[in-house]
Amino acid sequence: MKLKGKLLFLSIILLVLAALYLIWGLNPDNLDYALPRRVIKLISILMVGSCIAFSTTVFQTITNNRILTPSVLGLDSLYAFIQTFVVFLLGSTMLANLGGDINFILSAGLMVIFSVVLFKTFFSKEKRTVFSLLLFGVILGTFLQSLTTFMQVLMDPNEFFLVQNRMFASFNNINTDILYIAVLGTMVTLIYIFRYTRELDVVSLGRDSAISLGVDYASFVKRMFIVISILVSISTALVGPISFLGLIVVNINRQFLNTYKHKYLIPGSMLISSIMLLGGQLIAERIMNLKTPISIVINFIGGTYFIYLIFKEGRLS
Amino acid sequence: MIEVKNMDKKYGTNKVLDNVSLKIERGKVTSFIGPNGAGKSTLLSIISRLMDKDSGQVFIDGKELEDWDTKELAKKISILKQFNHINIRLTVRDLVSFGRFPYCNGKLTEEDWQQVDEAIDYMKLKDIEYKYLDQLSGGQKQRAYIAMIIAQDTDYILLDEPLNNLDMKHSVEIMKTLRRLAEEKGKTVLIVIHDINFASCYSDHIVVLCKGKVVEKGGADDILREDLLEKVYELDFCIKDINNNKICLYY
């Protein structure tokens, strides 16, 4: 099978990169110190890569649009808002006392409720497209961002520093408290989605065809929205918002695999995403010696690719 | 049998369906005609559960639409809408195989593939079955979609303007296929169509809708009357008998 071969190829690249990441620069003196830290970082990178790829693939399928990422729903902004709001209202000690997992469950819960409310309000049988939902998501996201900035301006500089630390995507500052929950959450959602890969294939034909073929569209899309918000919460809580990664990864993946089957698309996108993150982290950490944050590497590649996509779509139509 | 009882539908304050009641006979080709905005597409969308109605009832084989399990219903009724824009790259064969989804949940068995092959043959798509949809002409694409509907093998087939953007040759081909589906396979075909002459030549029943109401229903002879069509379309009509078909001129 050709597609399986491609997936195998990606897996091998990922394994090589992972081995390189663990072994590079290791010697008997720093083994005890470096290895456990590197393993934790590696797991986080794989988690974040998978969550982003996974949520973006599903999101693009249910919106039937190849240039959207879940960040247009305003979920990242909501996360930033929640973090800032807690610190603003209760102080940074409270955030520390709260413990990482409670903070995570709280944020994730709010994000899920947010997307369900957004969904219920803007996506019924009458309002047939997701565009009003997306538009509202964008507006609300901007609104939350402004509120966040407003609170940050009023904040004590030390507390602001703490909040800011959480807002930038960085694998040198992984929120390890929640790694277990994150792994568990990702696994459960993955297993849940893998039962629905064929429904996703049908949904990519569009709403009308999907309903005609017997998919309970409204309920299916709602469930997918919940799954997406859980995954976005996990990746955002782990390392902070990385908006562009999903866009590059999913489009490279679709071009590389050239299939419509989510059975292959989802694992493919997860592998490519992990490869890009791990490669980016290797460049940023070992070659650039941490002088360049990984988010800059990713956003630079992402931005370039995005412009290329727009030009390509423009030439086609 | 499909039965519609006292159906109402509003878009905002605009009434698109106003107390519509209809019975559609099995095994026949029924055409819905009427001016733009008469509610034809809306009616088809509601019957096929793409849209919610405001009030009234739809019965499919005696069971109300809401009581049907959506997957079971997908084996009974299928709809093809006017605008089929998809973002993914599919071959004709892939598309047709989607028609088997209600039966096998995407895991196609030997028998399902047989049905897919049959549908492809039926629509004469054998030579282009491995071509991608974006490489096809409008007529070929429309045929591919109809092949998917055939593979879905439903008793009721609803088509919303299947002749949209097709030339005369392809239009005739599609209409002949729909007739064959009704005659050979006993399918019940419902179409929304704008070309009255096509409706006249190829359908058993014609339903005329205007401003959300059923104005008239019956065979071509009952419908193709100058007084009726002039009232509905606000145009001058001249209707002639040509080869036992009623043909109207309104140009």
Side-chain angles (χ1 to χ4, degrees), chain B residues 73-88:
Chain B
L73 197 57
K75 299 176 190 170
K76 269 276 165 225
I77 187 165
S78 53
I79 182 161
L80 190 58
K81 292 280 288 181
Q82 292 156 297
F83 306 108
N84 275 301
H85 176 73
I86 51 169
N87 269 316
I88 47 172

Side-chain angles (χ1 to χ4, degrees), chain A residues 168-198:
Chain A
F168 278 105
S170 164
F171 285 94
N172 303 313
N173 182 20
I174 294 165
N175 200 350
T176 43
D177 312 357
I178 62 155
L179 197 57
Y180 296 108
I181 301 184
V183 172
L184 196 74
T186 312
M187 288 300 162
V188 171
T189 7
L190 253 179
I191 292 165
Y192 178 74
I193 291 243
F194 253 90
R195 291 163 44 213
Y196 293 106
T197 50
R198 293 192 177 86

